[in-house]
Each structure stands twice: as structure tokens, then as C-alpha cells.
Amino acid sequence: MGSLLYSSSPTANIYPMSENFYLRHRLQVVEELWESVLRQECGQKMVDLLRQLRDLCSPEGQATNDQAASAVELIEQLNINEAIRAARAFALYFQLINIIEQEYEQKQQLTRYSDSGTIDQQNLPNIIYSTNQREDELPVTKALEADVVTQSWTDTTPVKQKGTFAALFPLLFKLNVPPQQIQRLISQLDIRLVFTAHPTEIVRHTIRDKQRQVVDLLQQLDSLENRSGGYPWEAAEVRERLLEEIRLWWRTDELHQFKPTVLDEVDYALHYFQEVLFDGIPQLYKRIKYSLAQTFPWLEPPSTNFCSFGSWVGSDRDGNPSVTPEVTWKTACYQRKMVLERYIKSVKQLIELLSVSMHWSDVLPDLLESLELDQSTLSDVYDALALRYRQEPYRLKLAYVLRRLENTSDRNLALYKRETPTNEDAPMYRSGAEFLAELRLIQHNLTETGLSCRELENLICQVEIFDFNLTQLDIRQESSRHSDALNEILEYLQILPQAYNELSEDQRVAWLTGELQTRRPLIPAELPFSEKTNDVVETFRIVRSLQQEFGLNICQTYIISMCREVSDVLEVLLLAKEAGLFDPAIAVGSIRVVPLFETVEDLQRSRSVMRQLFELPLYRAFLAGGYEAINPEHTAPSSQPPNSPSSLILNPNLQEVMLGYSDSNKDSGFLSSNWEIHKAQKSLQKIAEEYGLQLRIFHGRGGSVGRGGGPAYEAILAQPGHSINGRIKITEQGEVLASKYSLLDLALYHIETITSAVIQASLLRTGFDDIEPWNEIMEELAHASRQHYRALIYEQPDFIDFFHQVTPIEEISQLQISSRPARRPSGKKDLSSLRAIPWVFSWTQTRFLLPSWYGVGTALQEFVNEQPEEHLKLLRYFYVKWPFLKMVISKAEMTLAKVDMEMARHYVQELSNPEDKPRFEKVFEQIASEFYLTRDLVLKITGHQRLLDGDPILQRSVQLRNGTIVPLGFIQVSLLKRLRQYKNSSTPAIIHSRYSKGELLRGALLTINGIAAGMRNTG
């Protein structure tokens, strides 16, 4: 019998025999294994049922109205155990398909380096460079008018070239980009990727382990099948092992067994460093160094740590009461534990490798002097090993290094446990810099004597990138928590004539500015305040403790979510002053205050907020690195407190600003949100330049398009080029971590594309963002889109009830996938308190995907209606030439392809209360009408016959999943319907004797898991 889904599925036709043979073959292998497992575990009856359900969809993989009734009838006959097994089977299928696609994508990435290819010179963009150009100006596209701009190179370069260093530097050479500009840019290159604990990773890490086992076995099978002269039984044996592993997977619970603690989430996030990034990132540096040397051999490569990592896991306390100061301390210790263990392992390997004897190689005096010093401080190591290593100086030196690392690790463990270290006087490393100096001493000696050691070079690179901290921890807290804390503190001290929270913004700024210019302590050492206020104060104190123990790099960023006013920033600076993180006498601080502007109103207000801040002499001096940096004649006070941060000056004149994609989208819709963020970047960059400041934009992107997700390469190219200037910071969260960082080559390619896009966007600005008539058109489109979006979400009286009834929002909130609550602390069941992740998650499950496209169609149609032929032609031109609009339309097209309006209708029909159906039908028709309008206009603008015709790989991936998600959606609706009937019934024991509420909830949650895997998106 053939593969159930592969042979019978209409989607099999999307794989022509002549192409993608590897992918086709691998899909067949896993589908046969999947079917075999189901037959063994569930019997042929289940296999036949799945076949029957799978056939109940259209050839395009969409639900149809006629077949929905048949599917419902079939599913309603299933008992709870059968429904759960069917849901689990489909979920397993999606996970296996995801593995195969990731493996295939990884193979595709490797081919990008096998042939550098050629670039079509006739289609290169016209870039102009003037000899009298200002030194700090970047090249701008020569012609801005529509009839003379050439096709963007990204549309003509072979697909395998996009995003690689191997393609980027030859392009810059062909475009005659001045080498000094390239050098200046790569010398300041600063890519920061920040891992977050946002609850969008639905797959248990136990299941992730099973997936890695399957990946390893598939790679073994590849090797055996491609090897000549092997034994046939070897491949057969690996297939048997695959079958065993998938059976074990089948018998493993997919649902999280408990609500994870914050430290569990820390462990989950660090897994990607342990398995992939720690060993992989040095390869990224080698790629850029090699590619640069191939084209510009006279240029210096960037620093080894041009790409660094941050983390919110264990430090982001916005809305998560579980993230306490103690948890943040333990997180830092845990990160250091992991990195020290890796260094210890590497040093032990080097001891085995560097067996160089003094009989056969010279040794420089500096190494011998170092050994003498080590002998005096680590005499026990000398006594134990001097005889063994008497002629092997590198081994002896590394033995001393190893002991210091072990002592450092022992001390760190005691600090983690909050115990007093017993080995404080033992020789150890107080910082990664001390360890690095010893490694460089060894490297210098090897080099001077004509030797090299790749393992040592890799270790040095790792220490330069990860130090002893692994990642930088960013602190994040909501703005009102700071004002409420100050309100309580000042009320206790009776300093103000009225409550702080009752002051106007001007009064607050005046008082804060005055208080920030005095060293007088405001907060007592003992905290007689409420638990919330004490937590705020202690958070700043723990940051100070972290910097003293781990160094400045462990934690230097404090992000203010829902930042709205100047006072929100000054409050944080005042609290930092009280903890010794800011010295008001000299205006030097060891913390960077980062406002996060999230809603559309806050994004629009960001311009005036930052301008007012830059106008404040104290804040301006703080950014510059102190009063002395602005005025060299300024003299610091002769006596500075012992905890003064004056020796810990951050990068001068750099302001970081974070922009939130999630809440702005929930507030204003997809098109409006993206445009407001785009405008904010341009205006913030302009303001920063006025004050002689550098700007780093921190993009709070989610995994889904509705939260700023999508291909990072295209998204970066669509940013206003001058707002990047070689610097970018991006959040990586939830399922993005699993999809981008699970496999080494995928992770490296992902980061390489981000880096290439940053360089390209910084050096090759198109200038389209500065064409005022284009901006006016986009402003008009964004305004119309926002109005239509808000008319549904906030003004349609039936919408909230519709949302709660027809989506699994309440069930999603019961998934044990995060330590953070699904709603903000207000407790209300309204949209304002609902976080953006479950909001998007719910619409994804029901196949509406509403946050990613709603309002776009109406806005476009209104514009086209003004002058049908001319305006449609103009939109098509924008799509081809303007990176921003192309990014917006492409993202909308991607999500529209995943929408299944007939399946969404099924949710409405089956889950609506009978008395609510008439009004809910009207809401649905409003949504459906907008969907079809948006889809048709996107097709007209792109010129595609079908959605995603321009991206056949993604089109194939979506089609492959759509068909199987349909029956899983029917199962979900059936289980949700039964569960809600159970909840609403006055006599559930009589009516539902066949199954319990717990069984129904479990079944519903399993379908949520399965659909999330199939959609490759949650929230």
C-alpha cells in the first residue's frame, strides 16, 4: 500500500518529477514511516479514517462547503479517544514535514557556496557617488522618477545568491562603492539578536529532542544512500531506527506537563547556544572575512563579535511577576556556568592537541615568564604535572589555565546558590578578558614559532563573542510600574505637596530633572514599601550587583515598555541613580535607558519625546558620557562615592530606541502599523542627526506577520536605509528560534542574510523613502486601512463576543507554554488587556489570520477607485521599485495564502451560540468580503495568477500543509464544541458520560498543537 498522504494527496502534483528530487524522495520516506507507525500503534482502521478525512478537501488544500458537512458527520461519530488519536496523527505528520523541509532548506543553503555565479550587470541599480560628497553621506540612487529607475538587483540576482556575503561584496565592487565607505561601515558593524521568552513556542523540548534524533538519522540515511559500495542492510537498519524513534515519539505526550518556570525558559533558550550557536558563530566570522578578502583584500574585516546576542529570558519582567531580581541573578550565573563548561571542555582538548616539545620547538620568553608566575600561584598544579609536562610548555600552561577556569566555575556555582564562595583566594579569572589574554599569549607563541592551531583560534573567537556572560541580559518593565513606585516612595517620604501620579507631565519633568542633579539619597536602604515597589527598586539594585560581579556587558539595557512621555525615561534614570547606576554630579551612567514605543499614538509621539529628552542638558551629557565629554573644562568632584559608575562609560552618543510591532498592529492594523514604524524610524534618525547622536533601532519583531515577522532579509532592505547605518537589534522569539536556530547551516544562513541586508541597506539606499508624493500616498493608504480595521475591531459591537466564541482564545490561555500570563494584570477580558501573542494565535488557529491583512484591501480599493487605471499602474510600480511597499504586499500575500475562509466559516457556524448566529454571520461576511477584496487586489498588484506565484518554494510549502490542516480544523471544532457544551450544561455528568471535561480540553489542546505545527506559526 502506498504512502497515505503522499500518493493520494492532490498536493503531490506540486512536485514535478524533474525537480526537487531529494525533497520528493524524503517526503515519501517519512510518510511511509508515519503510516507504518500509525498502523502499528492504532491499526488499519485509523489509517483508513485519516485517508477519508484527508480526501475531504479541494485540490488546492482548502475546505469546501460541500465537503464540510461530510467531514463533520464523520468526525461527530468519533469518540474522544479516536478524535485525539486522529489529531495527534496529523500533528505528528506536520512535525515530520517541518523536519524534512528544514533539512531541505539546509541543503539549499549549502549550494549557495558551491558556485558564486554571476550578476546581471545590465540590471544593477544606478548608484551615484560624488567626489564632493560629504564624508558621512552614503550613496543614493541617482534617479528618483518612476520612468528612469532601474530594476532592483534583488529581483534579478539568482535566488541562490541572495543574502550571502559571496554575492554582496562583488556587487559592491561592481557598483564602485568607495572602499573607504565599506571599511567605515564594517568597522562599526553591530548586529544584535535578542532571544525572548515570548510564549509562541508550543512544542515541548522533549519533542524537540525527538526531532533532533530524527534529523540525525535522516542525515545518516542520506550518507548511506549517497555512498557507493555500502551494504544495503545499513540503510535498512537506519530506517528501522527511524521507525523506532517515531514510535517513541508517538508515545510521548506532546503537551507541556506543567507551567514552565522562568529558569526552565532560560534552559530552553540556552539550548540553542549549546547545540548550535556556540560552535557555529565563529564560522560566521570566517565567512565574512573570507568573502571580503576575495573582493577587497586590502580591507580589514569587522571585529569577531560584530554579531552578538542578547536575551530577555530571565530578565524581562513586563507583565511577568515570576521574573524576580533573584531569578535574574540566577539567570546570569546559569549563563556563565554554561559558557565556563564549554571553555573547560575546549581547554582539555587543547591540552591533548598542543603536545609541542621544547626539544623540537622554540618557546618565547614571555611564555616562560608566565609559567614561572603560574608556578608560584598554583604550586599544586606544578607539583602534580611538572614532571609529566616538563618539556611540554603549552600543556603545562593550559593546565594552569584549566585550574583557574575550574576555580572560577566553583565560585560561580556558589554564587548561583547564594552561598559564600569558599575559594575566594584561589587563583581564578575575574573576567573573560583575563582568560582571553592567556589564550592570546599561547597563540602569539605558536605564531612566532611558525605554528597555528585552529581549535585555539576558534576558542579565542568564542571568548571574544561570548565572554563569560554568553548573552547580554536586557531588563524590561512597563512604564506605569516606575511611576507607581515613585508615587509610593514620595508619599512615604512626604516630599511633594501632592501625589506624584497627580502631577502634570511638565511638573513631573521639572521635579525629576531637579532630583537628578543631586546625589542626595531618595530611597532608604531598608525598603518599607509594597511588594511591587520593592521589586522595582530591587531590580535596579540587582543590575548594579550584576555589573559589579559580571562586568558591564552582562546587563546595560533597561527597556521601558508602553513609554509615552519624557517623564517615563527620567523616572528610570532617577531609579538608576538611586542604585548607583548613574552619577548625577558627572552625568555618567552604566545603564542605557531604552524607550519602547508600541501603539500608533506612541509611535507618533516618539519624535517629540526624544527631541525633548535631547534638549535636556543632563540627559544630553548622560548620552555623551558625562559633562566632561561635552565640556572638557568641566571638572568632576574630587570625592566620588565608592559605587560611582564613572569608570563604566557606555558607547558615547548612542541612543537606542525600541519600536513595537505587536501592539501597534493590534491597535491599528497591519498596514498602518508598518507605515507608522517606518515613519518613526525616519524621523528618529533625523532628530538624532540634528543632535549629533547615533541611533540604534531595536525592532520588536514577532514570529507571525501580524507581529512584525516574515523574512528578515527583505524586512531589513525595506527599512529606511539611513536609519540602519550598520547597526540593528532584533528580537528572536518563540517558534522562530526553533525554525531558524535548530540546524547549524540554517542558523548561519539566517544570520548571514541579516548581516548582508544591514550592509546593503546601509550602503545602497534607494532614496524612494524620500519621495514626498509617494509618502503622501502611503499616508492616505495607512489612514484608510486603520479606519477600516478599527471599525471592525473596536467599533463593531458584536466583535468581542464573536472573537471569544469562534476562536479558541480561552483554550489557548490554558496551554502551559509560558511563565507569563496571557493577559495584562487588569484582569478584564477585553482586547486592551489581551496580549498580542494570544490575539494573533487565535486568528491563526481558525484560519482567519485577520491581524495580518484586514484593512489592506479597502485602503487599496479606495485609492484605485480615484483613478482606476493610473492608480493601479502606480501601485504595481511601487511594488516593483519601493522596497517598503513590496515588503508589505509580500507579507500580506503570504498570509492570505494561508487563509481558508470556508474553514473559518465552519468555526463560526459550529461554535456560535444559536442565539448569536445571526449577528455573528454579519461579522463573518464583513471579514470575508474584506478578504476577497484584499486577495484580488494583491493579485492585481503583483501580477500573479495565484497567491505566491512569485515564491514557488513557499507556495509549495503552504499547499503541502493546507490540505491536512483542513481535517485537523474539523476535529478541533468538534472537540471545542463538545467542551463548551460540557461547560454550559447544567447536568454534564448525564449528557456527557462518555468523556470528561479534562479529556475534552486535552483533545482541544492537542489540535492547537497540531495546527500550530502545520501553520508553522502561533503568535
Side-chain angles (χ1 to χ4, degrees):
M1 184 176 176
S3 168
L4 186 155
L5 292 188
Y6 187 83
S7 59
S8 64
S9 167
T11 59
N13 296 326
I14 64 178
Y15 298 98
M17 286 297 294
S18 59
E19 62 183 44
N20 298 332
F21 177 79
Y22 169 82
L23 181 60
R24 185 182 179 88
H25 174 59
R26 274 289 160 263
L27 285 170
Q28 189 166 5
V29 168
V30 298
E31 287 176 357
E32 288 171 354
L33 289 167
W34 174 78
E35 183 180 347
S36 179
V37 166
L38 293 179
R39 190 176 292 111
Q40 293 177 33
E41 295 291 323
C42 307
Q44 185 62 43
K45 182 180 177 183
M46 176 58 68
V47 175
D48 293 339
L49 170 67
L50 295 176
R51 180 189 295 277
Q52 196 174 354
L53 287 171
R54 177 60 183 79
D55 289 340
L56 291 175
C57 69
S58 69
E60 293 77 27
Q62 301 281 307
T64 62
N65 199 32
D66 295 338
Q67 293 159 331
S70 301
V72 171
E73 183 179 353
L74 183 62
I75 290 168
E76 289 295 336
Q77 295 172 4
L78 302 178
N79 62 41
I80 186 65
N81 291 328
E82 291 170 331
I84 286 177
R85 286 190 171 196
R88 295 188 70 225
F90 285 131
L92 175 61
Y93 170 75
F94 290 133
Q95 298 283 12
L96 290 170
I97 292 300
N98 289 346
I99 287 173
I100 295 303
E101 283 204 324
Q102 279 193 319
E103 273 285 283
Y104 177 69
E105 289 169 12
Q106 178 161 264
K107 283 184 173 291
Q108 291 295 96
Q109 311 320 338
L110 293 175
T111 65
R112 295 170 185 268
Y113 304 97
S114 62
D115 177 19
S116 60
T118 59
I119 295 177
D120 183 355
Q121 298 203 45
Q122 293 183 357
N123 287 301
L124 295 176
N126 289 330
I127 306 294
I128 185 169
Y129 307 99
S130 171
T131 54
N132 61 2
Q133 195 173 15
R134 275 198 353 221
E135 184 67 16
D136 61 343
E137 279 186 345
L138 295 174
V140 180
T141 302
K142 176 168 42 178
L144 299 180
E145 294 302 323
D147 57 339
V148 293
V149 183
T150 57
Q151 174 73 3
S152 168
W153 82 276
T154 56
D155 293 331
T156 58
T157 306
V159 173
K160 65 186 293 183
Q161 292 292 303
K162 287 185 180 180
T164 62
F165 299 137
L168 174 64
F169 292 118
L171 174 75
L172 299 179
F173 182 83
K174 285 178 168 57
L175 291 174
N176 294 318
V177 178
Q180 66 269 24
Q181 291 191 13
I182 301 174
Q183 183 68 77
R184 185 165 60 244
L185 184 76
I186 62 177
S187 295
Q188 68 182 34
L189 199 59
D190 183 10
I191 313 294
R192 304 200 177 197
L193 303 172
V194 181
F195 287 17
T196 79
H198 282 58
T200 62
E201 170 58 292
I202 198 169
V203 180
R204 281 184 70 197
H205 280 258
T206 298
I207 299 296
R208 290 284 180 217
D209 292 337
K210 300 292 181 191
Q211 292 172 351
R212 275 186 291 278
Q213 284 294 105
V214 170
V215 168
D216 290 342
L217 291 169
L218 284 170
Q219 289 174 343
Q220 293 179 38
L221 191 60
D222 279 347
S223 177
L224 291 169
E225 290 180 343
N226 294 328
R227 187 182 71 185
S228 59
Y231 296 101
W233 61 265
E234 291 178 304
E237 183 181 65
V238 173
R239 286 193 182 223
E240 281 299 313
R241 290 173 61 194
L242 270 168
L243 186 64
E244 291 171 6
E245 193 62 44
I246 296 172
R247 288 189 71 185
L248 288 171
W249 183 349
W250 173 260
R251 296 195 187 190
T252 302
D253 199 342
E254 302 94 328
L255 298 179
H256 291 263
Q257 303 301 296
F258 54 88
K259 194 175 185 66
T261 66
V262 178
L263 291 177
D264 288 330
E265 292 172 335
V266 171
D267 186 59
Y268 299 161
L270 295 191
H271 160 84
Y272 296 103
F273 291 93
Q274 187 79 271
E275 296 294 324
V276 175
L277 292 172
F278 193 79
D279 291 325
I281 289 301
Q283 296 182 36
L284 181 73
Y285 174 72
K286 291 176 183 177
R287 285 187 183 184
I288 193 170
K289 181 180 178 182
Y290 174 81
S291 298
L292 182 67
Q294 290 296 102
T295 309
F296 299 100
W298 60 90
L299 296 185
E300 291 293 322
S303 62
T304 52
N305 61 349
F306 73 88
C307 176
S308 60
F309 294 88
S311 177
W312 285 6
V313 192
S315 58
D316 175 17
R317 55 245 307 130
D318 180 16
N320 191 346
S322 301
V323 181
T324 63
E326 183 64 18
V327 163
T328 302
W329 174 267
K330 285 184 176 292
T331 298
C333 292
Y334 191 85
Q335 289 188 171
R336 184 160 65 180
K337 170 182 177 290
M338 198 211 91
V339 81
L340 286 173
E341 287 174 350
R342 295 302 300 264
Y343 293 154
I344 288 170
K345 180 182 177 182
S346 296
V347 169
K348 288 179 178 178
Q349 291 173 339
L350 287 173
I351 290 174
E352 295 297 315
L353 283 172
L354 293 178
S355 55
V356 177
S357 171
M358 293 178 66
H359 285 302
W360 308 110
S361 181
D362 293 332
V363 179
L364 300 184
D366 56 354
L367 180 58
L368 296 176
E369 291 172 7
S370 172
L371 288 171
E372 289 182 9
L373 184 61
D374 290 334
Q375 179 182 343
S376 64
T377 55
L378 288 163
S379 56
D380 58 329
V381 175
Y382 178 82
D383 294 341
L385 298 173
L387 189 60
R388 179 186 298 182
Y389 296 151
R390 63 184 182 277
Q391 294 298 323
E392 296 175 336
Y394 294 107
R395 282 182 161 174
L396 185 58
K397 178 62 183 177
L398 286 165
Y400 291 130
V401 170
L402 178 62
R403 174 59 64 84
R404 283 191 169 92
L405 281 175
E406 290 171 340
N407 289 341
T408 307
S409 181
D410 291 343
R411 178 176 178 277
N412 183 66
L413 181 60
L415 292 174
Y416 177 84
K417 296 178 179 178
R418 284 298 195 178
E419 298 171 353
T420 302
T422 57
N423 65 341
E424 280 288 4
D425 296 329
M428 65 182 71
Y429 297 116
R430 297 293 175 176
S431 69
E434 294 179 5
F435 175 47
L436 186 61
E438 301 241 74
L439 296 179
R440 284 178 173 157
L441 172 66
I442 297 170
Q443 183 187 43
H444 173 71
N445 273 258
L446 288 171
T447 303
E448 291 297 309
T449 56
L451 294 173
S452 63
C453 177
R454 183 171 301 174
E455 287 76 8
L456 176 60
E457 292 172 0
N458 280 342
L459 178 57
I460 288 173
C461 189
Q462 287 167 335
V463 179
E464 288 174 337
I465 294 168
F466 297 110
D467 197 35
F468 276 0
N469 300 328
L470 191 66
T471 76
Q472 289 189 6
L473 294 174
D474 287 354
I475 305 292
R476 185 174 71 139
Q477 183 57 279
E478 202 264 330
S479 59
S480 65
R481 288 291 301 275
H482 308 126
S483 57
D484 289 346
L486 281 175
N487 186 73
E488 183 177 350
I489 292 167
L490 296 174
E491 187 174 328
Y492 173 82
L493 298 173
Q494 297 186 342
I495 289 178
L496 295 175
Q498 65 185 109
Y500 175 79
N501 280 343
E502 295 176 2
L503 298 178
S504 68
E505 173 62 12
D506 289 343
Q507 289 173 320
R508 287 191 188 192
V509 170
W511 182 82
L512 289 165
T513 304
E515 192 65 29
L516 275 166
Q517 296 181 61
T518 173
R519 277 181 170 164
R520 180 194 65 216
L522 182 69
I523 302 174
E526 298 293 328
L527 301 178
F529 309 116
S530 67
E531 185 178 343
K532 278 191 171 184
T533 296
N534 289 348
D535 178 77
V536 169
V537 175
E538 287 168 351
T539 295
F540 285 90
R541 291 179 177 178
I542 205 70
V543 171
R544 183 64 178 146
S545 298
L546 286 169
Q547 291 184 354
Q548 290 172 325
E549 169 59 33
F550 295 85
L552 177 62
N553 281 337
I554 185 62
C555 186
Q556 56 180 238
T557 300
Y558 196 107
I559 301 161
I560 312 166
S561 61
M562 291 297 169
C563 183
R564 295 187 170 92
E565 304 286 357
V566 170
S567 61
D568 293 331
V569 176
L570 297 182
E571 287 163 2
V572 169
L573 199 56
L574 177 59
L575 291 166
K577 184 207 83 168
E578 292 298 309
L581 295 165
F582 173 70
D583 188 336
I586 56 176
V588 172
S590 60
I591 194 169
R592 193 183 305 285
V593 184
V594 178
L596 165 52
F597 301 106
E598 299 181 76
T599 68
V600 166
E601 286 77 9
D602 293 341
L603 287 166
Q604 294 170 344
R605 196 183 294 119
S606 65
R607 307 150 174 75
S608 62
V609 169
M610 298 313 299
R611 186 179 292 279
Q612 290 175 62
L613 277 169
F614 297 156
E615 284 290 335
L616 292 174
L618 178 134
Y619 189 79
R620 185 66 189 82
F622 166 60
L623 288 180
Y627 290 120
E628 192 172 351
I630 291 180
N631 179 14
E633 297 179 1
H634 178 87
T635 55
S638 56
S639 60
Q640 295 183 16
N643 288 337
S644 172
S646 58
S647 61
L648 303 173
I649 300 176
L650 302 172
N651 293 343
N653 294 315
L654 175 65
Q655 174 67 59
E656 184 174 306
V657 176
M658 187 171 184
L659 304 178
Y661 289 72
S662 302
D663 283 280
S664 60
N665 194 312
K666 184 161 75 80
D667 168 60
S668 187
F670 172 68
L671 182 59
S672 175
S673 168
N674 277 272
W675 179 239
E676 291 298 337
I677 289 171
H678 193 79
K679 287 196 302 178
Q681 288 183 75
K682 288 200 300 180
S683 59
L684 288 171
Q685 179 60 40
K686 183 178 179 181
I687 293 168
E689 288 174 353
E690 287 179 23
Y691 290 88
L693 299 171
Q694 302 174 64
L695 181 70
R696 178 166 60 219
I697 298 292
F698 187 179
H699 298 266
R701 301 175 81 231
S704 62
V705 168
R707 296 183 50 248
Y713 178 72
E714 287 78 6
I716 293 170
L717 292 182
Q719 306 304 314
H722 209 47
S723 70
I724 296 178
N725 284 343
R727 290 180 297 272
I728 201 166
K729 193 171 177 181
I730 305 173
T731 53
E732 301 275 48
Q733 53 188 264
E735 74 275 12
V736 173
L737 298 182
S739 65
K740 298 298 184 185
Y741 295 97
S742 290
L743 300 177
L744 174 61
D745 289 303
L746 279 182
L748 290 179
Y749 177 67
H750 172 62
I751 302 172
E752 183 175 356
T753 58
I754 289 174
T755 306
S756 295
V758 167
I759 296 172
Q760 183 183 331
S762 300
L763 290 173
L764 303 180
R765 293 187 294 116
T766 66
F768 291 137
D769 292 312
D770 300 323
I771 303 177
E772 198 53 40
W774 292 21
N775 289 330
E776 291 172 3
I777 292 171
M778 187 52 62
E779 188 71 31
E780 180 184 330
L781 292 171
H783 178 72
S785 175
R786 183 179 192 223
Q787 280 191 319
H788 193 65
Y789 175 87
R790 291 188 65 85
L792 173 70
I793 308 301
Y794 294 99
E795 297 169 18
Q796 161 61 259
D798 299 323
F799 181 79
I800 296 295
D801 292 340
F802 177 90
F803 172 66
H804 281 284
Q805 281 192 43
V806 307
T807 77
I809 176 60
E810 296 307 318
E811 291 76 17
I812 284 171
S813 67
Q814 297 182 62
L815 283 168
Q816 305 287 348
I817 62 174
S818 172
S819 63
R820 189 173 77 162
R823 292 184 179 274
R824 290 191 168 92
S826 70
K828 298 178 182 178
K829 288 193 174 182
D830 56 13
L831 291 187
S832 61
S833 66
L834 182 67
R835 292 193 174 276
I837 289 170
W839 163 254
V840 175
F841 200 161
S842 302
W843 293 114
T844 304
Q845 287 283 307
T846 54
R847 304 297 298 280
F848 278 102
L849 285 89
L850 182 142
S852 303
W853 55 266
Y854 193 86
V856 175
T858 292
L860 294 173
Q861 187 63 61
E862 287 180 2
F863 179 66
V864 169
N865 287 344
E866 293 173 10
Q867 295 183 43
E869 290 189 14
E870 289 300 316
H871 281 187
L872 181 58
K873 183 179 179 181
L874 189 59
L875 288 172
R876 287 172 175 167
Y877 187 81
F878 286 177
Y879 174 74
V880 172
K881 302 301 181 185
W882 194 4
F884 170 76
L885 189 67
K886 178 157 190 175
M887 177 269 295
V888 168
I889 296 297
S890 296
K891 282 186 176 183
E893 183 181 21
M894 179 175 69
T895 52
L896 290 168
K898 294 183 177 183
V899 173
D900 187 337
M901 203 50 68
E902 288 304 319
M903 176 54 70
R905 184 193 299 275
H906 183 66
Y907 277 82
V908 177
Q909 291 174 339
E910 295 297 313
L911 297 181
S912 300
N913 294 332
E915 65 274 15
D916 295 323
K917 274 189 180 181
R919 61 193 184 107
F920 286 1
E921 282 289 345
K922 292 179 181 178
V923 177
F924 173 79
E925 290 303 328
Q926 184 177 344
I927 295 171
S929 175
E930 179 70 9
F931 165 74
Y932 293 117
L933 176 64
T934 307
R935 182 197 63 185
D936 292 345
L937 277 165
V938 165
L939 289 174
K940 287 179 182 178
I941 292 169
T942 60
H944 297 157
Q945 294 296 314
R946 298 177 305 164
L947 293 171
L948 296 178
D949 273 353
D951 191 344
I953 294 175
L954 181 58
Q955 186 183 63
R956 177 202 64 218
S957 177
V958 171
Q959 288 182 5
L960 179 64
R961 288 168 171 76
N962 273 355
T964 311
I965 296 176
V966 169
L968 189 52
F970 287 139
I971 294 171
Q972 182 177 93
V973 170
S974 175
L975 291 172
L976 289 174
K977 187 177 180 181
R978 298 183 206 182
L979 177 62
R980 293 175 183 183
Q981 286 174 344
Y982 190 106
K983 289 179 179 177
N984 297 332
S985 173
S986 59
T987 55
I990 298 173
I991 296 177
H992 300 283
S993 59
R994 291 167 55 202
Y995 35 77
S996 69
K997 176 184 174 183
E999 288 175 318
L1000 288 169
L1001 177 60
R1002 176 177 175 75
L1005 297 181
L1006 284 167
T1007 63
I1008 291 172
N1009 263 40
I1011 292 175
M1015 298 294 288
R1016 296 187 83 173
N1017 273 127
T1018 51

